[in-house]
Amino acid sequence: MRKLSFEQITAENVGILINDIPAAKHVEDTVIEHKGVVFALKDGVKYIAASVMIFDMNTDILTVAMRKLYLSDLFVCDNAEHGIDGMMLEYTADKAKNMGFELITVQVSTDDLRTIKFYCSQGFDKIVKVNISGKYLVLQRDLNVKLTCCGSTV
C-alpha cells in the first residue's frame, strides 16, 4: 500500500516535481519568483499531482479585496488512479481557505467539456466571465460552501 502525502513545492524540490511531472515545467518560475504557491501529492515514491495557485493577477482587487485566488494549473500524471485530480483540488481549496481566501477561480477552454464538467462537479458552480473570442470561461467556487458527495459532506 502506498502512502500518499501532500507537500508545498519549494525551490529545493521543484526540480524533482518537474522530473516526475514534465508538464509542470513552467511552475519553476512561480516558485522561484514567489508568484504563487505550488502544492503536490506524492505517492511515497514520486509526485503524481500538483496544483498552482497564483496570488498576483495584476490587480489587488482580484486577490486581496475580493479574497479571491486563481487556480492556474492542476496537473495529474497519466497513470494516476481515478480521483487523484479531485483529491489534489480539495487539498488546494482547503489550503486556500486556511490562508483566508473565500473564492477560487479557474479558467477553462470552452472546447474542453470534460474539464468544465470536472470543475463543475468540484463546486465551481458560477461562471464569472465568458470570453467567446478567446474561447474560455472563468469558473468560480465559494470556499465557504460545503460540498456533498455520495451522501457525505466534504
Side-chain angles (χ1 to χ4, degrees):
M1 185 167 125
R2 295 180 302 177
K3 182 180 177 184
L4 298 176
S5 61
F6 290 97
E7 297 179 10
Q8 183 171 339
I9 299 299
T10 63
E12 290 78 33
N13 61 0
V14 72
I16 299 167
L17 172 68
I18 293 167
N19 187 54
D20 291 346
I21 307 174
K25 177 146 181 58
H26 69 279
V27 306
E28 187 170 22
D29 291 339
T30 301
V31 172
I32 292 172
E33 297 174 17
H34 305 288
K35 295 179 183 177
V37 177
V38 178
F39 294 109
L41 177 59
K42 198 168 195 174
D43 70 357
V45 178
K46 66 176 194 159
Y47 292 110
I48 58 171
S51 64
V52 183
M53 297 188 305
I54 302 295
F55 301 116
D56 182 9
M57 295 169 45
N58 298 324
T59 173
D60 288 340
I61 294 171
L62 291 175
T63 54
V64 178
M66 295 180 69
R67 309 197 63 72
K68 186 185 294 186
L69 187 63
Y70 176 60
L71 177 67
S72 70
D73 283 300
L74 183 67
F75 302 100
V76 178
C77 286
D78 292 336
N79 59 351
E81 295 174 22
H82 178 73
I84 293 294
D85 50 358
M87 187 183 301
M88 187 75 239
L89 183 57
E90 280 310 304
Y91 179 82
T92 304
D94 188 52
K95 283 295 196 179
K97 185 174 181 175
N98 288 338
M99 287 189 279
F101 290 94
E102 296 175 358
L103 303 168
I104 189 168
T105 60
V106 64
Q107 182 174 304
V108 183
S109 168
T110 57
D111 296 333
D112 192 348
L113 296 179
R114 186 185 68 74
T115 301
I116 292 170
K117 183 178 176 182
F118 166 72
Y119 282 111
C120 288
S121 74
Q122 299 296 313
F124 287 80
D125 58 357
K126 183 176 181 184
I127 299 172
V128 293
K129 184 175 182 179
V130 177
N131 184 316
I132 301 301
S133 61
K135 292 188 168 189
Y136 69 86
L137 302 171
V138 176
L139 303 173
Q140 180 176 284
R141 174 177 169 182
D142 184 338
L143 296 173
N144 295 313
V145 173
K146 296 286 185 191
L147 298 180
T148 301
C149 176
C150 309
S152 303
T153 301
V154 285

